[in-house]
Amino acid sequence: NKEGLLGQIHMKLPRLLAFGFLLSAALQAADAKKPNVLFIAVDDLRPELSCYGNTVIKTPNFDRLAKRGMVFNRAYCQQAVCAPSRSSIMTGKRPDATRVWDLETHFRVALPNVKTVGQYFKEHGYFSQGMGKIFHGGFDDEPTWSTPWVTPKAPTYAKEATAADIVKEDPKNKGKGVAFEAGDVADDFYTDGKTSRLAAQTIAELNKKGQPFFLAVGLSKPHLPFVSPKKYWDLYDPAKIPDTASPFPVGAPAYAGDSDSGEFRAYTNVPPKDKKLARTPLPAAFASQVRHGYYAAVSYTDANLGLLLDDVHLGVELPFIRADVRRVEHIADSHLTVTALVPSFTPREIAVCE
């Protein structure tokens, strides 16, 4: 029974960031009292990482980050929807305050004068810059940045769909392709590969400004579709990837089985929902391919994270940062998994906050 597959992928730390990283970095900052900050947001990342006990997944860069920082085991997203969670973490306000519960509402409709974390840094002497998926989808927030937010353009897929990739029509014309792909391409073919390389280049340029900076970098994988270069698929033997299917909770609403979600079912190679059933199980072989795609996408993200870690030279100060109702405070946000690095502190074992 595979109906819980996508629920398991998306709902444990759902639809925002499974990891948000606040790296306190000196990075040749002109003012030692104002360390540079690299904020990395990763979309739809479950705690399927070695530092969370998964012995199959290949995430060496997440692991080295965890070894030099702190792993939070009880960190939860603010709401199991992308835009509300992103609005919340960037403003420090709950979804009931931002009035963002869907994917169509901008938080400034309800809170026109709210200060985002990037805006706060900008107003306190920092150069604030963002790239990739920080706010949801096509949304942006001009007051947050010192320079316009950008996302490099790239194709969604490396391969043209074949007849075998289309198992149903797309009557609503949602424009989806396949749910997963192993592209025979270089790492910088997809958007995240371009974004991480742009970020590394930007760090070098910002270092020359003589002004402390806040740089927010958003990586979109492992959000659907699970696309990544083939070499990340080749890291895994499908037979060794854990079967995460579990019995559907008694009494739970049908919507909780996310494999029946409109988003997932819209992809052309996903078997259609059986309208006669409350929940339509995924065929076992197909479910295995989906898991394989997710693991590969996580490892691809790990490689992009590695580019950023290789490019920073860490300072000695460690401020955890939270966008508070009134101001930015040096405190960990209880709703977001945060890892921060201290160059002068290298614990022998991973530091864990329960």
Side-chain angles (χ1 to χ4, degrees), residues 128-132 134 145 147-151 214-217:
S128 176
Q129 186 167 352
M131 58 188 64
I134 301 299
W145 315 117
T147 188
W149 162 86
V150 296
T151 294
F214 170 81
L215 178 62
V217 181

Side-chain angles (χ1 to χ4, degrees), residues 164-310:
D165 294 325
I166 303 175
V167 299
K168 61 181 181 301
E169 296 298 324
D170 183 14
K172 295 184 179 180
N173 194 30
K174 293 186 176 182
K176 302 286 188 183
V178 294
F180 47 82
E181 173 188 84
D184 190 11
V185 293
D187 280 25
D188 62 356
F189 176 85
Y190 298 108
T191 299
D192 282 356
K194 294 182 184 297
T195 299
S196 61
R197 284 157 179 77
L198 175 62
Q201 175 185 335
T202 300
I203 290 171
E205 294 170 353
L206 291 176
N207 272 329
K208 300 176 183 178
K209 282 184 171 290
Q211 179 183 5
F213 62 80
F214 170 81
L215 178 62
V217 181
L219 300 177
S220 60
K221 299 304 163 189
H223 189 290
L224 280 164
F226 304 145
V227 298
S228 60
K230 183 177 181 297
K231 67 181 181 181
Y232 298 104
W233 282 72
D234 293 343
L235 292 174
Y236 298 100
D237 176 353
K240 295 182 179 179
I241 296 176
D243 184 341
T244 56
S246 60
F248 194 79
V250 176
Y255 184 77
D258 202 41
S259 60
D260 276 348
S261 76
E263 179 181 12
F264 181 57
R265 292 286 177 181
Y267 287 90
T268 58
N269 64 336
V270 179
K273 176 178 171 56
D274 186 339
K275 295 182 179 179
K276 297 178 182 178
L277 301 176
R279 296 181 302 278
T280 306
L282 294 174
F286 182 78
S288 178
Q289 287 181 296
V290 175
R291 291 192 196 95
H292 194 167
Y294 185 81
Y295 270 52
V298 171
S299 289
Y300 177 46
T301 292
D302 181 82
N304 287 315
L305 170 65
L307 285 177
L308 299 177
L309 298 185
D310 289 342

Side-chain angles (χ1 to χ4, degrees), residues 3 30 76 84 87 100 115 120 128 164 175-176 182-183 204 272 283 323 345:
E3 66 261 45
Y76 308 95
S87 297
V100 179
K115 282 184 172 57
Y120 181 92
S128 176
K176 302 286 188 183
F345 174 61

Side-chain angles (χ1 to χ4, degrees), residues 58-113:
K58 307 292 193 299
T59 54
N61 294 299
F62 280 109
D63 299 340
R64 66 172 166 137
L65 182 61
K67 288 178 181 177
R68 298 189 66 178
M70 180 172 288
V71 174
F72 288 78
N73 281 343
R74 297 196 179 190
Y76 308 95
C77 76
Q78 295 83 333
Q79 184 174 324
V81 182
C82 186
S85 288
R86 289 176 179 271
S87 297
S88 184
I89 195 61
M90 292 301 288
T91 63
K93 294 186 177 293
R94 299 175 184 274
D96 283 356
T98 65
R99 315 300 287 177
V100 179
W101 301 295
D102 55 29
L103 302 179
E104 287 80 39
T105 305
H106 198 288
F107 60 86
R108 291 206 183 270
V109 173
L111 301 174
N113 299 316

